[in-house]
Amino acid sequence: MRIVTGTLGVALMAIGAVLLLAGGQAVDVALWLAGAIVLHDGLVAPLVLAVGLLLASVPARGTVRGALVVAGSLTVIALPPMLRPGAPANASALPLDYVRNWLILMGAVVVLTGVLRGGVLLVRRVSRRRVAER
């Protein structure tokens, strides 16, 4: 199974490389990838590390750092359409309200982080009761 999956992955990468080179967008993709690396290593990773240091004494620091990684990743993905100036020539190119959708996603991250943390605390409380009852 591993050989089949690996072979399929290599075949799909080859198809992607052929399509990329045939489309004449190799330079644009390389610039985008370089920008993504710079943005991650220069902004997202240091911010997550700095917040992690600030949260070192908080009991929920792992959950909060995980939420920050998710929020940072979603923000990096959402930034290009949110910062795109003006209306596109083709109305169907960027038809959504990206700022509103990003805010909804950030709210979902906050709510799910709270639910996750509450679930962790509940499991710990129940397990402590069971140990105390024995």
Side-chain angles (χ1 to χ4, degrees):
M1 186 64 174
R2 192 175 357 177
I3 293 172
V4 171
T5 305
T7 304
L8 181 62
V10 170
L12 289 173
M13 286 190 296
I15 291 169
V18 168
L19 291 173
L20 177 65
L21 295 174
Q25 296 178 338
V27 173
D28 292 338
V29 171
L31 286 173
W32 185 87
L33 287 172
I37 291 169
V38 168
L39 186 62
H40 176 272
D41 292 352
L43 184 67
V44 174
L47 280 174
V48 169
L49 289 173
V51 171
L53 287 173
L54 292 173
L55 297 174
S57 63
V58 174
R61 65 184 172 271
T63 307
V64 172
R65 282 189 291 196
L68 289 172
V69 168
V70 171
S73 300
L74 288 171
T75 302
V76 168
I77 291 168
L79 272 179
M82 286 193 320
L83 298 178
R84 188 169 206 102
N90 180 358
S92 65
L94 293 171
L96 304 175
D97 184 354
Y98 291 95
V99 174
R100 183 200 67 206
N101 293 343
W102 176 78
L103 288 170
I104 291 170
L105 283 173
M106 293 301 107
V109 168
V110 169
V111 168
L112 290 174
T113 301
V115 168
L116 177 65
R117 186 62 189 160
V120 167
L121 293 175
L122 181 65
V123 167
R124 285 183 184 166
R125 185 177 297 154
V126 168
S127 64
R128 285 183 188 148
R129 281 187 185 167
R130 287 188 181 173
V131 169
E133 290 174 358
R134 290 181 184 179

